[in-house]
């Protein structure tokens, strides 16, 4: 496939699950950016943010994204929730001719998933903190080429069909 696809949206919107299923559907390679960061540094994004601070994590995130895009082997990339927010990353995504898909899931659904995941998300430790971030980021997620409004309980296969119908990859 010529154009890689990046999947973006807030923490808990289902980026990794949807990206993996879409890659499978299109028979292309899937990369989870957060997992690539962990493989590269030996630390999770949460550890990097907590131990080194968010700016240091964002630099590693950008370097990892550049590396992933540079291989030219990846078909679908699940971004971390903040990756799309960084202008440098959007420029890279644009430079590599990627399509971008925003999974627009209501905040309450994202929060329920964040809370129940039992995974540390240092930028969303409280509901109030996550809500502020959610509102602040919406206008930037809107810059994605494909907007997929979701209620959060859709069937995965239906979602893949919908995304494919919106855009012939
Ligand atoms: C972040 C989201 C996380 C992870 C890091 C920062 C964010 O990924 O990259 O904790 O800034 O929203 P998920 O969206 O997969 O939780």
């Amino acid at each position: 496939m010529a154009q890689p696809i990046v999947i973006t949206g807030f923490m808990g919107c289902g980026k990794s699950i949807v990206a993996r299923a879409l890659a499978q559907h299109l028979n292309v390679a899937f990369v989870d950016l957060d997992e690539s960061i962990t493989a590269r540094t030996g630390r999770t994004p949460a550890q990097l943010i907590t131990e080194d601070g968010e700016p240091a994590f964002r630099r590693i995130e950008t370097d990892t994204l550049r590396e992933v895009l540079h291989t030219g082997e990846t078909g679908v990339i699940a971004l971390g929730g903040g990756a799309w927010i960084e202008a440098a990353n959007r420029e890279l995504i644009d430079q590599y001719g990627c399509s971008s898909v925003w999974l627009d899931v209501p905040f309450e659904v994202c929060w329920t998933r964040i809370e129940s995941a039992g995974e540390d998300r240092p930028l969303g430790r409280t509901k109030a903190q996550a809500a502020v971030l959610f509102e602040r980021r919406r206008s930037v997620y809107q810059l994605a080429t494909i907007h997929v409004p979701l209620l959060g309980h859709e069937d995965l296969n239906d979602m893949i069909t919908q995304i494919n119908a919106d855009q012939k990859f």
Side-chain angles (χ1 to χ4, degrees), residues 65-81:
L65 177 63
R66 186 181 296 109
E67 205 172 79
V68 167
L69 289 169
H70 187 70
T71 65
E73 290 165 6
T74 310
V76 185
I77 304 165
L79 299 177

Side-chain angles (χ1 to χ4, degrees), residues 33-62 64 120-123 125:
L33 189 61
D34 283 348
E35 283 175 11
S36 299
I37 291 168
T38 305
R40 193 173 195 252
T41 64
R43 289 187 288 167
T44 63
Q47 285 170 326
L48 289 164
I49 294 170
T50 308
E51 293 164 10
D52 299 354
E54 188 183 348
F57 165 68
R58 295 297 171 203
R59 282 192 291 276
I60 293 168
E61 185 175 50
T62 299
T64 310
D120 186 23
R121 274 149 159 147
L123 302 180
R125 281 198 180 130

Side-chain angles (χ1 to χ4, degrees), residues 22-169:
L22 183 61
Q24 210 161 28
H25 180 83
L26 298 170
N27 198 24
V28 295
F30 160 73
V31 162
D32 184 296
L33 189 61
D34 283 348
E35 283 175 11
S36 299
I37 291 168
T38 305
R40 193 173 195 252
T41 64
R43 289 187 288 167
T44 63
Q47 285 170 326
L48 289 164
I49 294 170
T50 308
E51 293 164 10
D52 299 354
E54 188 183 348
F57 165 68
R58 295 297 171 203
R59 282 192 291 276
I60 293 168
E61 185 175 50
T62 299
D63 288 347
T64 310
L65 177 63
R66 186 181 296 109
E67 205 172 79
V68 167
L69 289 169
H70 187 70
T71 65
E73 290 165 6
T74 310
V76 185
I77 304 165
L79 299 177
W84 177 259
I85 306 306
E86 301 296 309
N89 297 340
R90 294 199 305 280
E91 274 163 32
L92 265 177
I93 288 163
D94 192 46
Q95 208 177 305
Y96 280 87
C98 305
S99 299
S100 45
V101 177
W102 170 31
L103 304 182
D104 182 11
V105 173
F107 175 72
E108 288 298 331
V109 176
C110 293
W111 178 249
T112 304
R113 292 179 186 163
I114 293 169
E115 249 193 328
S116 63
E119 202 180 292
D120 186 23
R121 274 149 159 147
L123 302 180
R125 281 198 180 130
T126 68
K127 187 172 182 181
Q129 183 192 22
V132 168
L133 210 53
F134 183 90
E135 285 311 320
R136 200 186 292 155
R137 287 177 172 180
R138 277 189 74 78
S139 60
V140 187
Y141 289 134
Q142 243 149 24
L143 299 172
T145 42
I146 303 160
H147 177 202
V148 185
L150 296 165
L151 294 173
H153 52 62
E154 289 84 354
D155 176 78
L156 185 57
N157 287 326
D158 291 347
M159 269 194 269
I160 301 304
T161 308
Q162 187 190 333
I163 293 169
N164 262 308
D166 287 351
Q167 176 89 18
K168 286 270 162 268
F169 294 118

